[in-house]
């Protein structure tokens, strides 16, 4: 296996990780900003107040986007397993 192949496989894995995790991270960021804005307006400085809305937002996002996430990861895993012989052979 050449160094270029290793770098390509690693790059593809990192890109997939970023694409799959982005919706969850963006929802958590958005909910956190809304809760922080609400806390700033009402002057409630409770640190644990943002935990439950973030948890609910991420859970709902996982329910909605979860099938896409799983199918994307399974497709990548299948492609990776199928390409093992060609990577070992150097093709």
């Amino acid at each position: 296996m050449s160094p270029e192949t290793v770098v390509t496989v690693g790059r593809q894995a990192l890109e997939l990780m970023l694409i799959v995790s982005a919706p969850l991270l963006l929802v958590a960021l958005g909910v956190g900003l809304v809760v922080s804005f609400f806390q700033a307006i009402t002057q409630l400085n409770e640190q644990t107040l943002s935990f439950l809305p973030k948890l609910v937002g991420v859970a709902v996002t996982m329910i909605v986007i979860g099938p896409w996430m799983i199918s994307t990861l399974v497709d990548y895993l299948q492609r990776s397993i199928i390409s093992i012989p060609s990577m070992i052979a150097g093709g």
Side-chain angles (χ1 to χ4, degrees):
M1 188 169 3
S2 68
E4 293 84 17
T5 306
V6 174
V7 171
T8 302
V9 171
R11 182 183 53 81
Q12 289 173 350
L14 289 174
E15 287 175 357
L16 181 69
M17 177 199 59
L18 185 65
I19 290 170
V20 169
S21 65
L24 298 175
L25 295 174
L26 290 175
V27 167
L29 174 69
V31 171
L33 286 173
V34 169
V35 170
S36 295
F37 184 71
F38 175 75
Q39 284 180 330
I41 289 175
T42 60
Q43 295 182 354
L44 289 171
N45 291 326
E46 181 61 36
Q47 297 297 323
T48 60
L49 184 62
S50 67
F51 179 72
L52 186 62
K54 282 184 191 178
L55 183 67
V56 170
V58 169
V60 168
T61 304
M62 284 192 71
I63 291 170
V64 172
I65 299 181
W68 170 79
M69 292 169 66
I70 291 173
S71 68
T72 303
L73 291 171
V74 167
D75 289 343
Y76 176 75
L77 183 61
Q78 286 175 343
R79 282 184 282 132
S80 297
I81 291 173
I82 290 171
S83 67
I84 288 174
S86 64
M87 281 192 250
I88 291 173

